[in-house]
Amino acid sequence: QKEVEQDPGPLSVPEGAIVSLNCTYSNSAFQYFMWYRQYSRKGPELLMYTYSSGNKEDGRFTAQVDKSSKYISLFIRDSQPSDSATYLCAGSDSWGKLQFGAGTQVVVTP
Amino acid sequence: DVKVTQSSRYLVKRTGEKVFLECVQDMDHENMFWYRQDPGLGLRLIYFSYDVKMKEKGDIPEGYSVSREKKERFSLILESASTNQTSMYLCASRYSGRPYEQYFGPGTRLTVT
């Protein structure tokens, strides 16, 4: 069983809609929780991270972590076609070893 | 800007060949990583290195080896390529004090025929 589970999608939404992405994880040792964004034919890039439980907001993006239920979420408000990408969630233990989900492909249609 | 470069974007090799994938980073990062990415499986860690001449096995090291003789360079070696090693290979580097932030290269699409 993978330590981080993520629905691969694809998730298709109209421009301006809210995109909601979720992951579950099983490793209680995770301290950092990350969302990476990967455009086609590119390597992933860090979008946001949170330390332990709680919310973090950055512009149109909000990341949430609920350690009690081992649930990681990313919300994208006012989605744009340029948000079309694959979004990967990840958890990291204190040693900094990352475990990634499979990635969810998001398509925002104009 | 941090830059992680990989020696090839596309590579086609035959079964049994020895394959070298090179990765270079320009930000003096201590940690470097090799992943493979497959549809439905996501990123899986092959090997990582905390510092020069140090290496640790990741989750799927079988069939691979690595070399890190200089801080900026991390090489992945497929000793005898097999068709099940056809995949996208991604290199990443990281400052050890920021465990959440890995910088990835553009990837090498390796096809083994």
Side-chain angles (χ1 to χ4, degrees):
Chain A
Q1 184 189 359
K2 284 176 65 69
E3 290 191 28
V4 181
E5 297 283 353
Q6 184 176 9
D7 187 332
L11 180 63
S12 184
V13 299
E15 182 176 356
I18 294 175
V19 176
S20 175
L21 301 170
N22 304 293
C23 295
T24 59
Y25 67 94
S26 58
N27 190 339
S28 299
F30 284 167
Q31 294 187 343
Y32 289 94
F33 302 89
M34 289 72 68
W35 285 95
Y36 280 77
R37 178 176 61 194
Q38 185 176 21
Y39 290 113
S40 181
R41 291 186 292 277
K42 302 270 190 180
E45 58 179 352
L46 179 67
L47 187 61
M48 295 183 70
Y49 78 94
T50 55
Y51 178 74
S52 194
S53 276
N55 293 2
K56 190 171 185 178
E57 191 171 315
D58 184 2
R60 297 184 295 111
F61 298 88
T62 299
Q64 289 183 351
V65 176
D66 182 345
K67 292 190 80 173
S68 63
S69 59
K70 294 187 172 66
Y71 208 72
I72 312 167
S73 301
L74 178 72
F75 301 96
I76 307 173
R77 291 182 298 279
D78 188 24
S79 57
Q80 305 294 311
S82 58
D83 294 326
S84 297
T86 297
Y87 291 81
L88 301 108
C89 59
S92 173
D93 60 23
S94 58
W95 292 97
K97 185 180 173 187
L98 271 63
Q99 291 288 346
F100 286 88
T104 299
Q105 184 186 1
V106 172
V107 179
V108 181
T109 54
Chain B
D1 271 358
V2 174
K3 185 162 276 187
V4 179
T5 57
Q6 296 183 228
S7 50
S8 305
R9 291 302 303 270
Y10 301 94
L11 210 52
V12 180
K13 295 292 183 181
R14 293 192 181 276
T15 302
E17 279 193 86
K18 191 169 186 175
V19 182
F20 293 86
L21 302 182
E22 297 262 294
C23 174
V24 178
Q25 51 95 2
D26 67 356
M27 278 301 289
D28 204 36
H29 285 167
E30 298 92 347
N31 306 158
M32 296 188 74
F33 306 82
W34 274 107
Y35 294 90
R36 63 178 284 177
Q37 185 173 31
D38 300 287
L41 297 177
L43 286 161
R44 292 181 291 167
L45 182 64
I46 304 171
Y47 266 96
F48 61 103
S49 169
Y50 283 125
D51 209 336
V52 179
K53 296 193 186 295
M54 296 177 69
K55 59 185 178 184
E56 297 283 341
K57 292 180 180 179
D59 298 319
I60 51 164
E62 297 79 18
Y64 304 94
S65 62
V66 290
S67 173
R68 193 167 178 203
E69 296 296 318
K70 294 186 176 182
K71 192 173 187 179
E72 69 271 17
R73 191 178 297 268
F74 193 33
S75 301
L76 180 70
I77 303 149
L78 286 66
E79 296 290 342
S80 177
S82 64
T83 54
N84 63 11
Q85 292 178 310
T86 291
S87 186
M88 172 67 81
Y89 289 87
L90 288 157
C91 174
S93 72
R94 176 183 78 188
Y95 169 54
S96 60
R98 295 166 70 91
Y100 45 84
E101 189 169 26
Q102 293 192 1
Y103 292 85
F104 285 85
T108 296
R109 169 71 64 184
L110 173 67
T111 302
V112 182
T113 61

